[in-house]
Amino acid sequence: MNKLATNGTKKLDLQKLLAPAALVILYVLFSIIGNNFFTLDTLKNVLESSYYIGFMAFGVTFVIIAGGIDLSIGTVMMCSALLGAYTFKQHDWPLVASLILTVAVGTIFGLLNGGLIAKLKLPPFIATLGTMMMAQGAGSILTKVQSQTWPTATEPVGGWFKPVFIRSELFGAKNFPVGAIWLFAFFVIAALILHKTKFGRYNYAIGSNEEAARLSGINVDNWKVGIYTICGAFCGMAGIFYAAAYTTITPGTGNGQELNAIAGVVIGGTSMSGGAGSMVGTIIGVFIMSVLKNGLSACGLQAPWQTFFTGLVVIGAVLLDIQRTKAANRVKKG
């Protein structure tokens, strides 16, 4: 390898450290300038605001690495949570059955996305834009545009829901963030699928060069359906944790939630052009988003400022991705 290629490799290695370094710098910075940011309660808030975004981000990481995009994840999450609550409250389903339905709804929408994109050859942007609106409309139609609620910790039926998925007395600590255990458990599962299985290898192959993957004997269409389906399943899981955090689900909402998840994935180093990325980067990107949200709030800046600075961070991450891609191309040519 010549000098140019060696320098390119070093640059790629350094870029892998940018996301964790940015996370540490942001946390230290907000601890210094923020009002009561460096506290245990704030750390719990950082974790809890990461749960549902994290699950969506895990799913859409598979999609983006494969060279696709999914704009429907936010409304699919909300539709899943809405229909789960509707069956529990209005039709007296057992809570476990409603939780299963919540994941199933997300999975079905993921399967639909995969079919539209892989089998009917719709562009991912158009297909998922369509299912985004379908999910938003379906939740409103089926619930007759009425807000639905999940059980609180004090309810006699289903009172175990929040302690199991969000906060509980555990390890001798009150309000222990149980959701963090779920988040890291599914992070490990997602990472193993992406990095240690045939599914993951084909995921990278399709994103790197879809035609080459097809010529090598990979059934690209079927694997794409699987990729979008697993993304939908993670959205269903996200619906459970959104419900555990907020209890009340409002029909017609969910737009914009997908941007938080996609931003976390991009900030974590997954390339929008496909073929590169990792679950470690994704979870770090999600925590960066959460620290940014809570840190700006601690500095007295409200939601519009949080959105503004998040946009700046995403632009910076995409610019870094462009530089990383150029460096990788120089390595290949070297």
Side-chain angles (χ1 to χ4, degrees):
M1 182 181 291
N2 60 27
K3 185 176 181 180
L4 177 64
T6 303
N7 289 339
T9 304
K10 289 180 179 178
K11 189 172 183 179
L12 287 173
D13 292 338
L14 287 174
Q15 287 175 335
K16 291 179 180 179
L17 301 175
L18 287 177
L23 177 59
V24 172
I25 291 169
L26 280 175
Y27 203 90
V28 171
L29 178 64
F30 287 129
S31 296
I32 295 171
I33 65 175
N35 183 25
N36 295 324
F37 182 82
F38 193 65
T39 64
L40 184 59
D41 285 340
T42 300
L43 180 59
K44 289 179 180 179
N45 289 336
V46 168
L47 287 172
E48 289 181 4
S49 59
S50 301
Y51 299 158
Y52 64 92
I53 294 175
F55 277 94
M56 285 193 294
F58 294 157
V60 83
T61 298
F62 289 99
V63 171
I64 295 176
I65 288 176
I69 195 66
D70 191 343
L71 300 178
S72 71
I73 56 177
T75 56
V76 166
M77 174 190 73
M78 298 297 281
C79 180
S80 300
L82 193 63
L83 295 182
Y86 177 69
T87 56
F88 175 72
K89 286 289 187 179
Q90 306 300 326
H91 293 279
D92 297 322
W93 281 28
L95 183 55
V96 172
S98 293
L99 292 172
I100 292 172
L101 176 70
T102 303
V103 178
V105 170
T107 305
I108 290 168
F109 271 104
L111 181 63
L112 176 61
N113 281 332
L116 292 172
I117 292 163
K119 303 299 184 180
L120 299 183
K121 307 303 180 185
L122 289 180
F125 183 90
I126 300 300
T128 59
L129 180 64
T131 53
M132 177 183 76
M133 292 185 285
M134 288 172 61
Q136 190 173 24
S140 299
I141 292 167
L142 293 172
T143 60
K144 298 179 175 62
V145 201
Q146 295 179 348
S147 295
Q148 305 296 318
T149 58
W150 287 81
T152 62
T154 58
E155 291 188 24
V157 178
W160 54 267
F161 176 58
K162 282 182 176 289
V164 166
F165 289 104
I166 194 80
R167 287 185 181 184
S168 182
E169 187 171 343
L170 196 64
F171 304 123
K174 291 184 178 180
N175 293 324
F176 184 87
V178 178
I181 298 176
W182 287 95
L183 182 68
F184 283 106
F186 276 90
F187 158 71
V188 171
I189 292 171
L192 289 174
I193 293 172
L194 182 62
H195 301 295
K196 299 296 182 180
T197 67
K198 180 191 290 187
F199 184 94
R201 290 194 298 273
Y202 285 2
N203 203 153
Y204 281 107
I206 292 168
S208 297
N209 191 322
E210 183 175 325
E211 188 57 32
R214 197 184 305 276
L215 292 173
S216 68
I218 297 173
N219 191 327
V220 171
D221 290 347
N222 286 350
W223 286 103
K224 273 190 176 182
V225 172
I227 289 166
Y228 279 92
T229 302
I230 198 172
C231 179
F234 273 107
C235 289
M237 289 295 300
I240 292 174
F241 287 89
Y242 185 92
Y246 295 103
T247 305
T248 300
I249 313 298
T250 304
T253 58
N255 280 336
Q257 296 291 350
E258 70 280 352
L259 301 180
N260 292 324
I262 292 171
V265 174
V266 174
I267 290 169
T270 297
S271 175
M272 291 298 291
S273 58
S278 70
M279 285 298 167
V280 172
T282 289
I283 198 168
I284 291 172
V286 168
F287 285 138
I288 288 175
M289 293 287 293
S290 186
V291 168
L292 192 63
K293 174 185 176 181
N294 286 274
L296 291 173
S297 179
C299 293
L301 297 177
Q302 300 306 312
W305 282 103
Q306 296 169 19
T307 304
F308 176 80
F309 282 110
T310 299
L312 285 180
V313 171
V314 171
I315 290 172
V318 173
L319 289 174
L320 285 173
D321 177 45
I322 292 171
Q323 293 302 315
R324 180 170 57 244
T325 302
K326 289 180 179 178
N329 288 336
R330 286 198 296 269
V331 170
K332 291 177 182 177
K333 293 177 181 178

